Amino acid sequence: MIKKIIQSTITEYNKPSELSAEDRNLLNEAGKATGNSYSPYSEFKVGAAALLSNGEIVTGSNQENASYPIGICAERVTLSAVSAVHPKQKIVSLAITFKSKMKWSTPVSPCGICRQTLLEYEQRQKKNIRIILRGEGGKIQIIESAKDLLPLYFDKSVLGK
Ligand code: THU
């Protein structure tokens, strides 16, 4: 028997002024994108902003539906928009934040489906995606790769691709 320990690294910052101007701006754009969230059911407005290798920023927000499972998270809306509109660009960083009734200062962490999706985008572009997380104020967390969010991931190698 052997026990294996899996480690992920998260860098935590106390306030936006500790971030680079680029990261701070991206987080700000994600915050603005919460304004486009369509979330009448959860009332939890998530915004995401992707910085592309050409310097452009693409934003997205969660889009819900009366048929609840159809709703799409802000992360996947943003990733799909990048792929559909800027297919040649790589994603350097993805900032994610939210606004809710609770004024919750814990960073939002991507759901399992979004982690799997992020991993595939990272593998497709053959470059890590930095993930920047913040709640409604409070600390900021930076994760250097989607792999850090999803140890023991399932990917195309198992399918012989
Ligand atoms: N949501 C996101 O957009 N991203 C996340 O990382 C977590 C959850 C959305 C889905 C749903 O519209 C609402 O937040 C509440 O779960």
Side-chain angles (χ1 to χ4, degrees):
M1 195 269 274
I2 173 173
K3 276 193 188 169
K4 295 184 177 180
I5 297 169
I6 300 170
Q7 288 186 317
S8 288
T9 304
I10 299 171
T11 312
E12 208 162 71
Y13 299 85
N14 286 320
K15 44 187 188 307
S17 59
E18 293 176 12
L19 302 177
S20 68
E22 193 175 81
D23 287 351
R24 202 166 45 241
N25 180 50
L26 199 63
L27 203 45
N28 201 33
E29 290 300 316
K32 283 197 238 163
T34 61
N36 298 331
S37 162
Y38 176 69
S39 44
Y41 306 107
S42 71
E43 298 182 59
F44 191 76
K45 298 169 186 292
V46 186
L51 172 67
L52 308 186
S53 39
N54 66 358
E56 274 195 71
I57 291 175
V58 173
T59 62
S61 52
N62 55 328
Q63 303 295 318
E64 298 184 348
N65 192 284
S67 176
Y68 289 5
I70 298 176
I72 315 175
C73 294
E75 293 88 331
R76 277 174 293 133
V77 167
T78 307
L79 293 169
S80 296
V82 170
S83 186
V85 183
H86 303 278
K88 299 228 163 74
Q89 297 302 318
K90 294 188 182 192
I91 299 168
V92 178
S93 304
L94 181 73
I96 307 155
T97 189
F98 65 92
K99 287 197 174 66
S100 74
K101 282 179 167 173
M102 297 171 295
K103 298 276 168 260
W104 201 245
S105 62
T106 308
V108 67
S109 201
C111 78
I113 294 178
C114 288
R115 291 177 196 213
Q116 180 72 28
T117 309
L118 273 160
L119 181 87
E120 182 107 5
Y121 273 81
E122 190 170 272
Q123 292 189 337
R124 269 171 69 179
Q125 68 176 26
K126 297 187 174 65
K127 190 189 176 309
N128 68 303
I129 298 176
R130 295 176 65 247
I131 299 156
I132 305 167
L133 308 174
R134 196 183 192 209
E136 299 174 88
K139 292 185 195 297
I140 300 124
Q141 293 179 334
I142 300 191
I143 297 147
E144 291 298 327
S145 164
K147 282 187 181 144
D148 283 325
L149 281 178
L150 194 65
L152 301 182
Y153 53 80
F154 178 86
D155 72 0
K156 63 184 177 155
S157 61
V158 197
L159 304 172
K161 301 286 177 191

